[in-house]
Amino acid sequence: QCILFRRFLSQTCVVERGPLRRELDCLLREVGVRRRVTLLLSPQDSEPVAFGLFHWRIVLPKGIEQTLPHDNLRALLAHELAHLVRGDTVWLWVGRLLCSCCAFQPLNFLARRRWQQAAEFQCDDWAVRHGATPLALARCLTEVAERRLVRPLAVPALPAGGAGSTLSKRVERLVRNDRQTDPWTDG
């Protein structure tokens, strides 16, 4: 998977300017994040993904700015930024490592799946707390899922990608406005 992911990254291009870059920079200023986030576009029809420990990166499929309305695009960027801000890439990597090293324990895989689901819920909530509207994020999730159904993903099991089975739960939570407080950030 690492080799496939590196090959996938070698085909991406950095977004230095334009509406996507402006929107991400605006979002970074609004939430007070001073770290540089590299925005990449993939020529393959990939799922949006955020990753990086020291160098934060967000990868979006090329042309997504033409298919998503502005509110949905902002919600997408906020959700992916939430994965970086919350440190999900580190925790999900630890979960993957535990599953690899202790594959004899099947409960590790269940715990990792629940961990991923909780991370997706918390990132949805973070995005809404930082300016994304719940309906825009719900629409964005369904549009990204629709892209996944129409075309197979270029890279399987991206590091911070969410499980497809949580889509209905995530959309339902957003539509019902049923968000929980994050115990790590909301004292």
Side-chain angles (χ1 to χ4, degrees), residues 2 17 28 39 47 61 67 82 120 126 130 138 155 168 173 185:
C2 289
R17 60 184 73 83
L28 289 167
L39 185 59
E47 191 170 322
T67 59
E120 293 301 324
W126 189 95
H130 290 90
V155 178
S168 61
R173 284 180 81 241
T185 59

Side-chain angles (χ1 to χ4, degrees), residues 1 13 83 127 139 159 179 187:
Q1 286 178 343
C13 62
H83 281 295
R139 274 189 242 113
R179 291 179 309 281

Side-chain angles (χ1 to χ4, degrees), residues 5-6 8-10 12-15 21 24 28 33 35-42 47-60 76-85 88-89 158-161:
F5 191 62
R6 287 192 187 277
F8 166 75
L9 284 179
S10 71
T12 61
C13 62
V14 177
V15 177
R21 183 75 242 179
L24 181 59
L28 289 167
V33 173
R35 288 186 67 174
R36 173 86 172 140
V37 177
T38 303
L39 185 59
L40 303 166
L41 287 180
S42 167
E47 191 170 322
V49 64
F51 64 96
L53 181 59
F54 301 110
H55 303 287
W56 287 358
R57 297 180 187 107
I58 295 175
V59 180
L60 301 175
L76 172 67
L77 288 170
H79 175 86
E80 295 305 326
L81 181 59
H83 281 295
L84 297 171
V85 170
D88 288 341
T89 54
L158 292 172

Side-chain angles (χ1 to χ4, degrees), residues 54-173:
F54 301 110
H55 303 287
W56 287 358
R57 297 180 187 107
I58 295 175
V59 180
L60 301 175
K62 194 172 189 171
I64 198 160
E65 69 274 9
Q66 282 91 27
T67 59
L68 289 181
H70 179 264
D71 288 349
N72 296 17
L73 191 59
R74 180 177 177 80
L76 172 67
L77 288 170
H79 175 86
E80 295 305 326
L81 181 59
H83 281 295
L84 297 171
V85 170
R86 290 176 34 81
D88 288 341
T89 54
V90 175
W91 292 111
L92 294 174
W93 179 80
V94 168
R96 176 174 267 176
L97 184 65
L98 282 173
C99 286
S100 297
C101 293
C102 302
F104 54 86
Q105 174 52 274
L107 292 178
N108 287 339
F109 295 94
L110 176 64
R112 180 172 169 239
R113 205 170 348 192
R114 294 277 172 89
W115 211 346
Q116 286 176 319
Q117 182 179 17
E120 293 301 324
F121 287 157
Q122 292 297 324
C123 288
D124 290 345
D125 294 347
W126 189 95
V128 170
R129 279 195 313 273
H130 290 90
T133 62
L135 284 178
L137 185 54
R139 274 189 242 113
C140 176
L141 290 172
T142 56
E143 288 177 34
V144 168
E146 183 180 320
R147 291 172 71 105
R148 187 187 315 163
L149 289 174
V150 173
R151 297 177 212 104
L153 290 179
V155 178
L158 292 172
S165 62
T166 64
L167 176 67
S168 61
K169 292 176 189 173
R170 291 173 65 194
V171 170
E172 217 172 279
R173 284 180 81 241

